[in-house]
Amino acid sequence: MATGGSERSSPPPFPDSEDQDPAEECQGVGADVSDEEDGDESFLSATGPSMNTMDSALPLSSEPSEVLFEPPVDLLQEPILKTEPEQAEAVTDPLDEFVDLVDLSDDMPSAQAVAAESPVVEVEALISGTPSDEPCEDFVDLSGSDSDLSEEEAALVEVPADSAGFSADPQDAIAAIPPGDLATGSAVEEEPSPLIEVDISQSSASGEKQHPQPPSDDLLFDPLADLADAVLPPAAIVKKPTQQQQPPPLDLFEDDPSDLFGEARHAKSAKQLPSSLFGEVDEDIFGEPLGTTAKKAVNVASREQRESVVVTKTSVLRARGNVDGPLNNNYEKEPTDIFSEEAVTIAPSAAKAPAAATSSRTNGVRAAEEGDIFAEATVELSLDSPRTDRKKNATAPKPSTSGPTLSSAADLSKTHSASLEELEEEEQEDNFDVNISVTNPEKIGDGMNAYMAYKVSTQTSLAMFRNKTFTVRRRFSDFLGLYEKLTDKHAPAGFIVPPPPEKSILGMTKVKVGKEDSSSAEFVERRRAALERYLQRVVCHPSLLQDPDVREFLEREELPRAVSTQALSGAGFLKMLNKATDAVSKMTIKMNESDVWFEEKLQEAEAADQQFRKLHGLVESLVVHRKELSLNTASFSKSVAMLGSSEDNTALSRALSQLAEVEDKMEQLHQEQASCDSFCFAELIADYIRLLGSVRGSFDHRMKAWQRWQDAQTTLQKKRESEAKLLWANKPDKLQQAKDEIAEWEAKVTQYEGDFDKVSATVRKEVIRFEKEKVKNFKRQIISYLEAQLLAQQQLIKYWDAFLPEAKAIA
Amino acid sequence: MSSTALGESDKDKTRSVSVDLNNDASLLIDIPDALCERDKVKFTVHTKTTLSSFQKPDFSVPRQHEDFIWLHDTLVETEDYAGLIIPPAPPKPDFESPREKMHKLGEGEATMTKEEYSKMKQELEAEYLAVFKKTVQVHEVFLQRLSSHPILSKDRNFQIFLEYDQDLTVRRKNAKEMFGGFFKNMVKTADEVIISGIKEVDDFFEQEKTFLLDYYSKIKDSTLKAEKMTRSHKNVADDYIHISATLNSLSADDSTAVKKHMEKLADLFEKLRKVEGRVASDQELKLTELLRYYMRDIQAAKDLLYRRARALADYENSNKALDKARLKSRDIPQAEEQQQQCLQKFDKLSESGKKELTSFKGRRVVAFRKNLIEMAELEIKHAKNNVTLLQGCIDLMKTH
């Protein structure tokens, strides 16, 4: 169905006058629907109330709808018509399931039936609201013709279609993102009745988020908002309290569900409907795509949202994996194909649901591809879905029993929510279930061509990986290569990419030469640990984990050799050159910082960098001194042992040799402490020096984005001036060209400004994340360091305690 | 360096090195006060006595390091004391190392924070004070050894040293004498080699000789190693200061929750450094000083053995001379007298030497015992302190 949508171009504004008819029609449709349903006994009881609600809702909606639906007129008509057959097919399968559901839920038949019906009605209302009558009728026909199909299904089908239609509005695929939002919104909510509200919420959200949106959207949204106000007076009232309950939303979608429920509460008859609707329809729709594995998790999760985050993490990741993972090839990146493809790939029962779901995913995909602003949008979107979920469950606890599909549906939304939460509130431990260890450093080859290979073992329950555990061998330059790829891809967007340990020609040469002394063993071990921490940092980063290169690095048996990492290669030279130019340009860019936060953070990072470097030097010298102490203690121990052997007093001789032993153990302790200083403390600091480098890098990228924006602005200014000159000189032939250029540069300025905002937002988020990680990490490391010291001191007490009687025994 | 007065606070410590002093109340000596002026240290030697040979029962005199050396030298040169282990002379006050460090610190001032600098300075001052106290202590111990010795305490020069209330104004050794001393040492060493060929008549001395020679080289080595060890321990403690200071400045810049951790860690390092510094100085005091002192004491015992061996060689020579005289039938009575004298001297030396060496052995064992016990106890105490500090910090960090 999406295909139809995508073909359309943005709709022309519609005359206001037409709406009244549709409203009436709509009522008619509603009546039809109810009539048809009568035949179905199970639905009978439900029909009554649903009708009431419909009636009440419809007249309200009719007025504003004019305004609302002006733009999409054509869109709706066409796509629906075209997609009819498809829908029918798709619907058939789910129908059965749906019926089953209904049967299952005999306990609350009214609720379900209502759920089923109400969407239909409202959908129709929507459709009818559109100035052209055709779509409505088509729809009616569709539902009518299919005797097997209950209207609910039809309605369900319709909804996605609607959303698809909306999404298709904008011309370009890129421009299509905001509509994508729309689609996602509707998809997430899934219930036709809330559709209106969804739209509203989107409009408001768009305002809040400041997403750049095509003008057509604006047209859409404003009217919608009006409509919403008009339609849902009670809802509006309810809204406030609900909002208070929920965290202040960037999220448009939060509002919707609350509204729905609010409405439900107010209007007794209508109440059950939405809830059940959500419970059933929603889940149904989502059900299949996710698969059944997550079901249990969902059930659990549905009750407690917090828990749900943890439990469903896997599913979240999976969902994300779907979004941009290379593994899942079924999703085409082309918006057009998405819907159709989805329908195919996903289980038939959920035909429309998938479509909706896809739309949300697509959104994700696009976001990933094109820009991060939208990624945020997705995030937010997913955020509230859990809430809706929770609400659903609260209002209609039963649905969970009704079938496996539903739980999975909840799953999906939850996944989103979970992912969201991870991104947004890092207080919750983001325990991505990926456990990476780097072990078995092994020298391969001889002479100067020798290199170290490490075993990288991954243990995970994430579905994005093919296996639960897998192991690959990687050489050091592979690690560097991964970093290169990640920085190229993510750093310009403002991400803080964890850096690997530096190349150490000296250390590696030692290893290569093959001296099996302690320093080279220490070097290898230190590097091994650093690589492990590096990989762990990478996979702990929610965005980097999604990167195909990361997965390839962890999973793929053979990796193409990373060549650009060699220090003396041409690439290395180029890199150095780039760095030099960067440094120069950095110095020349004078950014008048508009945001104090960034300024403060940058200063903080620079100061911290300096101090960390100093501290690192100090700890290194501590290590040196400790090693010295250890050495000296060892030689003293030997010397005392000799002295003891020379001593002619037996008791004293014994005591001296005991002292020698104690000192020997002291030496061990000092040695251990030295390596502890080095591995726990110095390495921690070294890590942070490297990380701070990346942090500053992300600030640099932000500055570059700013610079680009400023440059564009300057250029635009110049163009405008030249235009003015042309105007003055009265050269109309060149004037047009100048105007084009101005338009072009205006677009660029907007884009660059957007880019800059994007990068700024990412940097801000990343820095906050970095700081949180730092706090956690630092605390953990320091505690383990102190614990090691504590242990050493306890040992020391033990040794001296054992020595004391010996000393006392000297006669 | 500005003058530093030493209080009486460390009186309890003064006897830590050498314990085996007869607690004879008839002659009690201590150094309650000392003044450091440039290179010279002026000690106030305080004596409390019941002996009638002193004019007053309680008196104090100012003495310098050179006076102690003079006293030691006169004792060594006294023929009558040849059979005694003359207590080793106190080493020359050496403030070079703290002074040098202070100098270095002054140079590096720019690279440190104010706080760090003041801490380092404090630490150096403490080190300087410790060296100062140690110096006083070794001088005091020297006098106490003398006063507790039945024969040496009666020495006239010793009594003058204690009683004469003016500056002794001992003449400093001139260059010739210095050279003479050096030459004497050379001769002595050569002589030692020569007389080592003489067959020992007494098993006790034979054993004692091999033991002391061996022991001396061992203890010298141990002393060196112990010195190094304590020095590097001190370095570790000093590193803690810098780390603590840097952590402090880090925490000052930080705005996240790490700030608290950093502060705690800085605090911990500061406390650890104090404990660690004390561990180092206690090791120095209990172990290194002990070893150093007995190294010198053994040297003194070796000197005794040398003197005895010299006497033995003299006796052998006199025997030969007597034989020669008898062969030539000339100067026989002189030679006999000479031989008798040598024998007497040798016997006397052997007798008192045996006594001295035996008592030395006992003294050494007791001193080692005492110091080792004390050191073990201090080590345990400090380690327990460390454990408390670490545990406290870990708990704090875990709860926050």
Side-chain angles (χ1 to χ4, degrees):
Chain A
M1 25 177 133
T3 31
S6 64
E7 288 167 35
R8 253 154 276 119
S9 56
S10 70
F14 226 78
D16 293 357
S17 56
E18 289 194 46
D19 6 291
Q20 286 185 343
D21 294 319
E24 284 164 32
E25 287 241 2
C26 204
Q27 280 189 336
V29 173
D32 284 9
V33 171
S34 63
D35 289 350
E36 285 189 63
E37 280 175 357
D38 288 356
D40 216 337
E41 289 198 353
S42 62
F43 286 1
L44 270 177
S45 57
T47 349
S50 72
M51 285 306 295
N52 292 342
T53 50
M54 284 165 46
D55 289 349
S56 63
L58 287 175
L60 281 174
S61 64
S62 61
E63 278 185 339
S65 63
E66 358 158 334
V67 191
L68 218 193
F69 287 102
E70 298 167 358
V73 184
D74 296 324
L75 291 178
L76 283 175
Q77 288 180 270
E78 283 189 9
I80 291 168
L81 287 173
K82 284 183 190 169
T83 51
E84 271 175 10
E86 276 183 30
Q87 285 177 356
E89 285 171 12
V91 171
T92 43
D93 284 357
L95 175 65
D96 295 349
E97 286 227 353
F98 188 70
V99 173
D100 290 343
L101 279 179
V102 174
D103 291 337
L104 280 174
S105 59
D106 283 344
D107 322 43
M108 28 174 286
S110 67
Q112 289 212 334
V114 172
E117 283 169 326
S118 67
V120 177
V121 175
E122 279 170 54
V123 171
E124 283 168 1
L126 282 176
I127 296 165
S128 61
T130 57
S132 69
D133 303 350
E134 286 177 4
C136 302
E137 286 175 340
D138 282 322
F139 186 67
V140 173
D141 291 341
L142 177 84
S143 57
S145 62
D146 246 322
S147 58
D148 294 70
L149 291 175
S150 59
E151 295 84 349
E152 301 92 57
E153 246 66 62
L156 287 174
V157 176
E158 207 58 38
V159 176
D162 265 8
S163 62
F166 283 125
S167 68
D169 287 1
Q171 307 81 336
D172 321 310
I174 298 168
I177 291 167
D181 279 2
L182 283 177
T184 27
S186 60
V188 170
E189 250 81 60
E190 230 49 56
E191 329 76 14
S193 62
L195 188 56
I196 297 169
E197 288 153 14
V198 172
D199 292 349
I200 293 162
S201 66
Q202 275 174 340
S203 67
S204 64
S206 66
E208 285 169 26
K209 285 183 199 165
Q210 296 175 332
H211 290 175
Q213 292 188 344
S216 62
D217 283 1
D218 287 349
L219 279 179
L220 249 181
F221 287 139
D222 292 358
L224 277 178
D226 293 353
L227 176 87
D229 290 349
V231 173
L232 309 167
I237 296 165
V238 181
K239 224 185 246 175
K240 279 170 194 169
T242 44
Q243 276 177 336
Q244 282 172 352
Q245 286 172 1
Q246 293 168 351
L250 300 168
D251 338 327
L252 359 165
F253 301 114
E254 267 180 22
D255 294 3
D256 315 353
S258 65
D259 288 356
L260 280 177
F261 294 112
E263 251 193 318
R265 271 170 227 139
H266 277 250
K268 300 273 155 155
S269 60
K271 220 169 291 157
Q272 301 272 358
L273 303 183
S275 65
S276 59
L277 241 186
F278 288 11
E280 298 276 306
V281 177
D282 198 350
E283 276 146 26
D284 213 22
I285 292 168
F286 281 120
E288 290 284 350
L290 267 193
T292 48
T293 46
K295 260 170 236 156
K296 283 176 205 161
V298 175
N299 289 342
V300 176
S302 59
R303 264 153 227 151
E304 291 159 37
Q305 196 203 0
R306 292 283 140 187
E307 281 185 14
S308 75
V309 173
V310 180
V311 178
T312 56
K313 210 143 280 173
T314 46
S315 56
V316 174
L317 290 170
R318 205 192 288 161
R320 283 209 225 137
N322 288 344
V323 173
D324 47 357
L327 292 181
N328 305 315
N329 299 328
N330 12 356
Y331 300 105
E332 297 257 78
K333 310 255 153 148
E334 298 290 309
T336 38
D337 297 352
I338 288 171
F339 292 99
S340 56
E341 279 247 9
E342 267 295 315
V344 175
T345 47
I346 294 163
S349 66
K352 324 115 204 182
T358 340
S359 68
S360 69
R361 278 188 212 147
T362 359
N363 192 0
V365 171
R366 282 189 216 136
E369 282 170 4
E370 281 159 23
D372 310 4
I373 293 183
F374 296 116
E376 265 190 277
T378 2
V379 168
E380 271 144 31
L381 187 166
S382 45
L383 224 194
D384 27 340
S385 52
R387 271 171 208 135
T388 30
D389 237 35
R390 184 184 44 187
K391 265 174 238 149
K392 273 176 228 159
N393 292 326
T395 36
K398 282 276 161 168
S400 61
T401 55
S402 55
T405 42
L406 33 121
S407 54
S408 51
D411 211 29
L412 186 134
S413 54
K414 216 146 291 145
T415 33
H416 275 281
S417 70
S419 67
L420 213 250
E421 231 128 280
E422 271 157 31
L423 284 176
E424 241 167 51
E425 348 178 342
E426 304 252 301
E427 298 91 42
Q428 302 200 353
E429 286 193 24
D430 41 3
N431 42 6
F432 296 94
D433 187 21
V434 186
N435 206 346
I436 291 187
S437 56
V438 177
T439 50
N440 292 3
E442 191 185 346
K443 198 172 103 174
I444 293 182
D446 277 318
M448 286 320 279
N449 288 325
Y451 62 91
M452 295 300 292
Y454 304 84
K455 203 169 108 182
V456 179
S457 319
T458 312
Q459 223 183 353
T460 181
S461 58
L462 299 187
M464 60 185 266
F465 293 103
R466 267 173 258 152
N467 297 314
K468 288 239 182 290
T469 55
F470 40 89
T471 303
V472 287
R473 281 203 84 77
R474 293 281 177 261
R475 55 180 293 178
F476 181 64
S477 53
D478 294 335
F479 288 84
L480 294 185
L482 174 65
Y483 171 69
E484 296 288 332
K485 283 183 198 158
L486 290 178
T487 33
D488 286 351
K489 263 189 275 184
H490 299 281
F495 283 100
I496 298 173
V497 180
E502 294 91 352
K503 257 185 128 62
S504 161
I505 292 172
L506 184 73
M508 201 50 212
T509 309
K510 257 187 177 173
V511 174
K512 279 175 181 169
V513 169
K515 283 271 153 36
E516 296 286 321
D517 65 340
S518 63
S519 75
S520 75
E522 203 182 291
F523 167 78
V524 169
E525 165 60 17
R526 195 198 303 255
R527 174 171 276 181
R528 183 206 62 76
L531 288 174
E532 189 173 287
R533 287 194 305 274
Y534 156 65
L535 281 187
Q536 275 160 357
R537 284 209 171 87
V538 169
V539 298
C540 277
H541 195 292
S543 319
L544 295 184
L545 179 62
Q546 301 308 318
D547 193 282
D549 281 325
V550 172
R551 230 169 316 151
E552 192 174 70
F553 181 86
L554 294 177
E555 271 186 329
R556 207 166 129 181
E557 206 52 56
E558 288 293 323
L559 213 57
R561 178 112 158 72
V563 276
S564 59
T565 57
Q566 280 161 336
L568 297 175
S569 66
F573 182 70
L574 271 180
K575 233 185 287 166
M576 267 166 62
L577 213 65
N578 278 339
K579 262 180 205 160
T581 50
D582 271 8
V584 172
S585 70
K586 218 197 293 179
M587 273 188 282
T588 53
I589 297 178
K590 283 280 172 289
M591 182 173 183
N592 45 352
E593 184 58 84
S594 50
D595 196 331
V596 191
W597 188 87
F598 284 101
E599 206 165 10
E600 275 174 7
K601 284 293 165 194
L602 182 59
Q603 269 172 10
E604 232 174 65
E606 270 163 5
D609 185 63
Q610 223 176 14
Q611 296 291 347
F612 267 127
R613 273 171 205 282
K614 192 177 165 197
L615 188 60
H616 188 255
L618 289 172
V619 177
E620 287 286 299
S621 85
L622 174 67
V623 171
V624 168
H625 284 144
R626 223 163 339 230
K627 278 183 182 157
E628 240 168 54
L629 175 59
S630 166
L631 268 178
N632 289 335
T633 310
S635 61
F636 176 69
S637 160
K638 278 191 201 99
S639 182
V640 166
M642 296 291 284
L643 185 66
S645 69
S646 298
E647 175 62 60
D648 57 357
N649 181 299
T650 357
L652 183 54
S653 168
R654 223 180 100 87
L656 284 178
S657 56
Q658 288 293 324
L659 179 66
E661 262 174 49
V662 172
E663 292 293 351
D664 197 46
K665 286 171 188 158
M666 267 332 113
E667 183 234 326
Q668 295 283 319
L669 282 184
H670 292 316
Q671 188 74 50
E672 280 161 24
Q673 271 187 295
S675 56
C676 181
D677 286 334
S678 169
F679 287 119
C680 292
F681 201 28
E683 283 294 279
L684 169 74
I685 296 161
D687 272 6
Y688 274 97
I689 293 173
R690 286 196 284 265
L691 276 170
L692 280 170
S694 288
V695 171
R696 288 163 65 188
S698 74
F699 279 99
D700 289 348
H701 282 295
R702 178 171 169 272
M703 196 158 80
K704 273 186 209 155
W706 181 83
Q707 184 64 26
R708 214 168 43 206
W709 172 34
Q710 295 301 309
D711 287 348
Q713 247 173 0
T714 325
T715 320
L716 176 61
Q717 194 61 40
K718 276 182 195 151
K719 298 278 178 208
R720 283 208 173 117
E721 276 164 16
S722 64
E723 186 210 17
K725 272 181 203 156
L726 286 172
L727 212 60
W728 184 254
N730 201 11
K731 290 181 183 165
D733 47 334
K734 286 184 183 170
L735 203 58
Q736 187 51 44
Q737 189 194 343
K739 273 189 174 139
D740 288 348
E741 275 180 353
I742 286 172
E744 181 193 333
W745 278 100
E746 269 171 349
K748 272 188 186 164
V749 167
T750 329
Q751 193 202 328
Y752 289 155
E753 187 180 1
D755 284 349
F756 173 67
D757 287 344
K758 252 189 278 177
V759 172
S760 295
T762 314
V763 168
R764 188 189 284 264
K765 221 163 66 183
E766 285 284 289
V767 168
I768 289 169
R769 182 177 179 278
F770 164 75
E771 283 179 347
K772 275 175 187 155
E773 286 288 309
K774 182 170 124 189
V775 173
K776 262 197 298 192
N777 196 353
F778 208 85
K779 188 173 157 185
R780 198 176 53 229
Q781 290 273 23
I782 288 299
I783 286 178
S784 75
Y785 170 63
L786 293 182
E787 274 170 350
Q789 285 225 344
L790 183 68
L791 201 72
Q793 293 295 330
Q794 279 163 347
Q795 291 285 328
L796 199 140
I797 294 176
K798 220 173 75 189
Y799 296 148
W800 283 109
D801 261 336
F803 174 71
L804 201 51
E806 292 289 342
K808 283 182 176 157
I810 302 170
Chain B
M1 198 160 279
S2 63
S3 62
T4 312
L6 180 73
E8 305 202 13
S9 56
D10 59 329
K11 264 188 126 183
D12 51 329
K13 276 191 189 170
T14 51
R15 286 174 178 242
S16 64
V17 170
S18 173
V19 256
D20 188 28
L21 304 170
N22 308 333
N23 287 327
D24 182 4
S26 62
L27 184 60
L28 293 175
I29 303 170
D30 64 333
I31 301 179
D33 197 16
L35 212 67
C36 183
E37 281 175 346
R38 297 199 165 273
D39 280 349
K40 284 178 196 149
V41 184
K42 283 187 174 168
F43 304 94
T44 306
V45 178
H46 173 248
T47 313
K48 237 174 129 175
T49 183
T50 55
L51 297 179
S52 57
S53 53
F54 293 97
Q55 286 171 347
K56 281 184 277 180
D58 195 332
F59 45 88
S60 296
V61 289
R63 292 289 175 261
Q64 292 184 25
H65 172 71
E66 284 73 15
D67 302 334
F68 286 82
I69 301 297
W70 165 80
L71 180 60
H72 177 258
D73 287 351
T74 56
L75 291 175
V76 168
E77 280 158 17
T78 309
E79 198 69 15
D80 290 343
Y81 304 147
L84 304 178
I85 297 176
I86 312 292
K92 195 173 177 345
D94 178 18
F95 299 114
E96 268 316 298
S97 95
R99 237 176 245 174
E100 209 174 283
K101 276 195 191 166
M102 194 65 107
H103 187 67
K104 257 194 215 161
L105 182 67
E107 279 174 347
E109 188 177 351
T111 65
M112 283 179 250
T113 63
K114 222 175 170 182
E115 186 192 16
E116 201 177 351
Y117 176 74
S118 70
K119 267 186 202 158
M120 282 303 283
K121 206 176 152 193
Q122 220 180 316
E123 193 63 17
L124 274 181
E125 277 164 3
E127 194 182 325
Y128 176 75
L129 199 68
V131 171
F132 190 76
K133 277 181 189 171
K134 223 164 56 193
T135 308
V136 171
Q137 192 186 317
V138 287
H139 286 81
E140 196 178 49
V141 165
F142 171 67
L143 297 181
Q144 283 166 347
R145 280 276 306 273
L146 290 178
S147 77
S148 64
H149 196 281
I151 300 167
L152 293 176
S153 61
K154 310 275 186 318
D155 182 70
R156 186 66 205 136
N157 283 327
F158 179 47
Q159 295 199 347
I160 291 171
F161 177 90
L162 293 177
E163 207 171 18
Y164 185 65
D165 63 352
Q166 304 293 308
D167 273 354
L168 276 179
T169 58
V170 178
R171 191 172 52 84
R172 304 282 165 259
K173 285 176 179 168
N174 59 31
K176 197 181 155 201
E177 274 172 325
M178 291 280 268
F179 183 72
F182 179 67
F183 185 70
K184 228 166 75 184
N185 258 333
M186 292 271 287
V187 171
K188 191 182 136 198
T189 322
D191 203 30
E192 261 173 352
V193 175
I194 295 164
I195 59 177
S196 66
I198 296 167
K199 197 173 172 291
E200 184 56 69
V201 287
D202 193 330
D203 274 353
F204 173 82
F205 284 102
E206 180 66 43
Q207 275 174 18
E208 226 20 58
K209 198 174 95 183
T210 40
F211 167 71
L212 285 179
L213 279 176
D214 180 37
Y215 203 79
Y216 181 75
S217 66
K218 299 282 168 58
I219 204 168
K220 197 175 167 191
D221 184 58
S222 296
T223 310
L224 273 172
K225 301 285 163 62
E227 259 170 32
K228 267 182 158 179
M229 185 175 75
T230 41
R231 213 181 306 135
S232 43
H233 213 130
K234 224 167 241 147
N235 283 337
V236 169
D238 283 351
D239 285 337
Y240 281 1
I241 297 180
H242 298 298
I243 290 175
S244 167
T246 313
L247 281 171
N248 259 329
S249 38
L250 251 179
S251 75
D253 292 337
D254 206 303
S255 60
T256 61
V258 170
K259 190 187 181 74
K260 281 185 303 179
H261 301 321
M262 297 262 196
E263 274 167 7
K264 269 177 233 143
L265 201 61
D267 195 43
L268 175 75
F269 269 111
E270 171 61 19
K271 285 176 185 155
L272 283 183
R273 137 346 241 201
K274 280 187 180 142
V275 179
E276 217 54 51
R278 232 166 273 155
V279 171
S281 67
D282 281 339
Q283 261 178 14
E284 164 88 20
L285 204 66
K286 299 292 168 196
L287 197 65
T288 319
E289 275 301 295
L290 174 84
L291 292 171
R292 200 180 286 138
Y293 188 82
Y294 275 91
M295 185 181 82
R296 285 188 285 121
D297 218 2
I298 287 169
Q299 182 57 50
K302 266 170 65 194
D303 286 350
L304 166 68
L305 283 183
Y306 165 70
R307 287 193 296 266
R308 186 188 153 275
R310 185 69 256 171
L312 178 61
D314 285 349
Y315 169 64
E316 300 264 313
N317 285 341
S318 69
N319 268 345
K320 275 179 202 160
L322 184 60
D323 287 349
K324 224 186 247 173
R326 277 184 183 143
L327 208 67
K328 290 178 181 170
S329 310
R330 217 172 40 181
D331 298 332
I332 294 174
Q334 274 158 305
E336 269 181 346
E337 196 189 334
Q338 176 75 20
Q339 191 245 10
Q340 278 305 312
Q341 264 180 10
C342 283
L343 180 62
Q344 244 177 26
K345 192 186 163 195
F346 174 69
D347 284 344
K348 199 183 134 203
L349 271 180
S350 294
E351 191 195 343
S352 74
K354 206 176 260 185
K355 227 163 60 188
E356 282 281 305
L357 286 173
T358 317
S359 88
F360 164 76
K361 195 168 286 182
R363 198 171 67 228
R364 191 184 73 232
V365 170
V366 173
F368 266 86
R369 177 176 192 270
K370 179 171 176 283
N371 275 24
L372 287 181
I373 290 174
E374 279 176 358
M375 190 176 78
E377 278 167 350
L378 283 170
E379 290 273 3
I380 292 168
K381 188 184 125 198
H382 294 321
K384 278 183 176 158
N385 259 340
N386 273 340
V387 166
T388 326
L389 288 174
L390 287 165
Q391 191 66 61
C393 190
I394 291 172
D395 290 346
L396 258 179
M397 285 188 104
K398 274 187 177 160
T399 49
H400 289 289

